[in-house]
């Protein structure tokens, strides 16, 4: 496990947007960031899930989060612009962006993978991630110390059979992370890095490995040290790196 111990006020006064914040790793990250002082913007497609995370953060007495229902699969360019305008009006800037939302798609040989399924995975995992990054970058540049964290996978670092669309989307994720890192290097107070969570006890993992005993994997809460490290000031100057949570 990544070795890092965060001080309680690590993210005090920071505004951090988390995609896929309704469940799994996204929900854990949102609650962890809030517990360390951040105002968390909860973005996801299922409002009921986001509201539950909101209620848990409120009940714990952490800074009041914001719920942003947003469907990354169907969102049009003007909706990204409206999202950025809303964040600017309400919060003035953005200190962190965690790209966590992904879909896995069918795990099947490339020969049997339909174009429709391939494009759906790329739409959520790559196109939407690019749109959010490019649209929110001006708000991140207004921060004194901003961090963009991309969620990768071992299959986005070395290709593996039957991971088709998902694997390709994670290679693209690493590419976007590296490209952004090189562009902001020494130019803007923004850093760009990726995390491979590894096998974690989530519904997506269960979907990918139905025969696996989930208890053999850590919970999302247990892999949070690297998520805190990259979002806080202790990682200032770390840019263009690919991290493993485990």
């Amino acid at each position: 496990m990544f070795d890092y111990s965060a001080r309680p006020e690590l993210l005090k006064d920071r505004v951090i947007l988390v995609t896929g914040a309704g469940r799994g790793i996204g929900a854990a990250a949102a609650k962890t960031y809030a517990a360390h002082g951040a105002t968390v913007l909860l973005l996801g497609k299922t409002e009921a899930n986001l509201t539950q995370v909101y209620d848990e953060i409120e009940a714990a007495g952490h800074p009041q989060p914001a719920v942003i229902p947003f469907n990354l699969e169907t969102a049009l360019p003007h909706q990204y612009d409206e999202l950025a305008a809303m964040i600017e009006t309400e919060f003035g800037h953005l200190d962190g962006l965690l790209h966590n939302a992904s879909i896995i798609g069918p795990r099947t040989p490339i020969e049997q993978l339909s174009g429709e399924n391939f494009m759906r995975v790329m739409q959520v995992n790559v196109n939407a991630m690019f749109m959010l990054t490019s649209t929110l970058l001006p708000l991140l540049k207004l921060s004194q110390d901003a961090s963009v964290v991309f969620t990768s996978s071992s299959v986005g670092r070395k290709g593996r059979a039957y991971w088709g669309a998902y694997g390709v989307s994670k290679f693209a994720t690493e590419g976007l992370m590296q490209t952004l890192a090189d562009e902001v290097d020494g130019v803007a107070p923004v850093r760009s890095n990726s995390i491979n969570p590894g096998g974690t006890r989530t519904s997506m993992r269960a979907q990918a490995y139905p025969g696996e005993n989930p208890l053999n994997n850590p919970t999302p809460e247990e892999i949070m040290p690297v998520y805190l490290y990259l979002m806080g000031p202790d990682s200032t100057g770390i840019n263009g790196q690919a991290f493993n949570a485990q």
Side-chain angles (χ1 to χ4, degrees):
M1 207 63 71
F2 186 85
D3 186 25
Y4 174 72
S5 185
R7 59 188 181 278
E9 297 286 285
L10 180 79
L11 304 175
K12 186 170 166 37
D13 299 328
R14 294 194 175 216
V15 180
I16 299 172
L17 180 109
V18 176
T19 73
R23 57 195 183 120
I25 292 171
K31 288 185 269 190
T32 301
Y33 291 157
H36 287 79
T39 297
V40 184
L41 314 186
L42 308 165
L43 186 143
K45 68 179 177 190
T46 310
E47 191 165 358
N49 292 349
L50 299 174
T51 302
Q52 187 178 341
V53 175
Y54 176 99
D55 290 345
E56 288 178 38
I57 291 172
E58 281 267 272
H62 302 319
Q64 185 180 20
V67 169
I68 305 175
F70 198 89
N71 190 333
L72 295 170
E73 190 179 345
T74 58
L76 298 168
H78 72 89
Q79 290 172 285
Y80 289 93
D81 293 335
E82 288 161 9
L83 171 66
M86 181 277 287
I87 293 172
E88 185 168 20
T89 301
E90 296 287 324
F91 303 99
H93 69 284
L94 198 58
D95 300 294
L97 170 58
L98 171 60
H99 289 294
N100 165 77
S102 285
I103 58 172
I104 205 160
R107 287 188 59 207
T108 182
I110 283 172
E111 192 177 0
Q112 291 160 21
L113 180 63
S114 74
E116 187 181 358
N117 277 322
F118 182 84
M119 286 187 271
R120 179 170 176 251
V121 171
M122 297 302 277
Q123 181 63 29
V124 174
N125 296 9
V126 182
N127 300 352
M129 181 179 63
F130 162 77
M131 289 298 295
L132 269 179
T133 304
S134 62
T135 311
L136 297 178
L137 204 49
L139 291 175
L140 289 157
K141 287 179 174 178
L142 293 174
S143 169
Q144 302 291 304
D145 173 44
S147 176
V148 183
V149 179
F150 295 86
T151 303
S152 186
S153 168
S154 60
V155 298
R157 294 175 181 171
K158 186 180 190 308
R160 282 175 58 197
Y162 315 127
W163 279 91
Y166 183 80
V168 172
S169 78
K170 292 303 177 180
F171 271 96
T173 298
E174 293 284 0
L176 183 56
M177 178 277 283
Q178 291 180 23
T179 303
L180 176 63
D182 205 37
E183 286 182 9
V184 297
D185 190 32
V187 178
V190 181
R191 57 193 181 280
S192 167
N193 298 282
S194 71
I195 297 173
N196 164 26
T200 310
R201 211 178 303 169
T202 63
S203 58
M204 182 187 268
R205 179 74 183 187
Q207 185 186 340
Y209 294 96
E212 181 181 73
N213 179 359
L215 297 179
N216 293 338
N217 295 321
T219 63
E221 288 73 20
E222 289 173 304
I223 65 166
M224 283 299 119
V226 70
Y227 286 80
L228 280 165
Y229 171 70
L230 286 177
M231 216 37 103
D234 293 335
S235 61
T236 302
I238 304 293
N239 186 38
Q241 303 296 309
F243 286 82
N244 292 312
Q246 300 181 44

